[in-house]
Amino acid sequence: MIARFVLPVILSIGAATASGQAPVPVVERTITQGDVKTRVSLFSNRVLVVSVRRGGEDDFMRRMTLSEGQYMVYLASFLTSAEELDQQPISSEVDTSMAEVVISLHVGPDAPRLIRFSPMSIVKLPLARIQGALDDLQLQVLEASPSAEAMRTWEPAKGDRVELLNGATATVVEVRDEGLLIIEHDLTYIRESVSPEMRDQVILRVVEDEL
């Protein structure tokens, strides 16, 4: 079932990637409540971005990359729900002038499709599933470590200096074959081992050398 819905989209995305095009959005949602806009965006390169603007100014932004398996599950869910959306996906519309939900679907038979409704509205099941998936994605980003994306792409080397989540700094003194890091705290000289899966729970960022 998943393959039937996802395969054509994968081929389309693969063609775009091969031609050097930038990643394209799969689905985006913006929730406006007064002067606060919260946007969650999933892109074709599996990158997920959540941003918040308050009073017209950027207040928060965080990104993470889904695993291939996660991405395929969400993509299949969005495609299935988009297929089932009818022309009136909202059961009961409520007019709220200071609050609005806008969903941009870039998959499905009518893509791109823009759906606007009040957060107080009652929506039909396909749109409710899309909302639920977007809520889940947004929560994953908000609950992720602020350094998760940086740690995912970092290739540690002996001598790298890092800032830890507790504000201290340390130096990588050993990188073992299995990815285990041995770091030495700058102030105490205490050595600590950090496994690959715990990096973003210990390390905030890599400190660039100051020239």
Side-chain angles (χ1 to χ4, degrees):
M1 178 66 72
I2 289 178
R4 179 168 67 89
F5 287 112
V6 176
L7 184 57
V9 176
I10 292 176
L11 293 176
S12 175
I13 291 172
T17 304
S19 63
Q21 295 180 16
V24 295
V26 173
V27 61
E28 295 182 291
R29 181 184 68 186
T30 301
I31 299 178
T32 302
Q33 294 179 315
D35 67 346
V36 179
K37 291 181 181 290
T38 303
R39 172 176 289 183
V40 55
S41 306
L42 177 63
F43 293 90
S44 58
N45 60 350
R46 298 186 281 115
V47 170
L48 181 61
V49 181
V50 172
S51 61
V52 179
R53 288 179 62 83
R54 193 180 304 272
E57 297 185 357
D58 293 337
D59 186 60
F60 172 90
M61 188 183 77
R62 185 176 294 172
R63 55 180 284 172
M64 65 179 289
T65 301
L66 298 178
S67 68
E68 187 172 350
Q70 277 185 302
Y71 175 73
M72 293 293 286
V73 168
Y74 281 106
L75 180 59
S77 175
F78 288 128
L79 282 165
T80 302
S81 298
E83 289 272 353
E84 296 175 0
L85 280 175
D86 57 28
Q87 293 304 310
Q88 298 293 332
I90 300 160
S91 299
S92 177
E93 182 65 82
V94 177
D95 185 15
T96 50
S97 58
M98 297 297 291
E100 183 183 47
V101 180
V102 180
I103 293 179
S104 300
L105 273 174
H106 299 269
V107 294
D110 299 319
R113 182 173 180 182
L114 196 67
I115 304 172
R116 296 176 179 270
F117 57 96
S118 163
M120 301 296 292
S121 297
I122 299 174
V123 302
K124 295 180 182 178
L125 183 58
L127 184 54
R129 287 201 300 260
I130 292 171
Q131 279 275 74
L134 288 166
D135 287 342
D136 184 52
L137 288 170
Q138 180 173 313
L139 187 62
Q140 285 190 53
V141 175
L142 295 178
E143 290 185 342
S145 164
S147 65
E149 185 67 15
M151 290 298 100
R152 187 185 69 83
T153 58
W154 178 43
E155 296 183 3
K158 182 177 179 180
D160 283 351
R161 298 193 65 251
V162 295
E163 180 181 348
L164 309 181
L165 288 176
N166 63 7
T169 55
T171 301
V172 177
V173 294
E174 186 179 351
V175 181
R176 296 184 178 172
D177 291 340
E178 63 273 23
L180 183 72
L181 302 182
I182 306 299
I183 61 173
E184 183 177 273
H185 292 246
D186 290 347
L187 291 180
T188 63
Y189 300 104
I190 293 174
R191 294 194 173 189
E192 177 183 1
S193 61
V194 183
S195 62
E197 61 272 15
M198 289 299 295
R199 287 179 189 173
D200 65 341
Q201 303 300 313
V202 177
I203 300 171
L204 177 62
R205 66 185 181 96
V206 179
V207 179
E208 301 293 337
D209 292 333
E210 297 182 359
L211 299 178

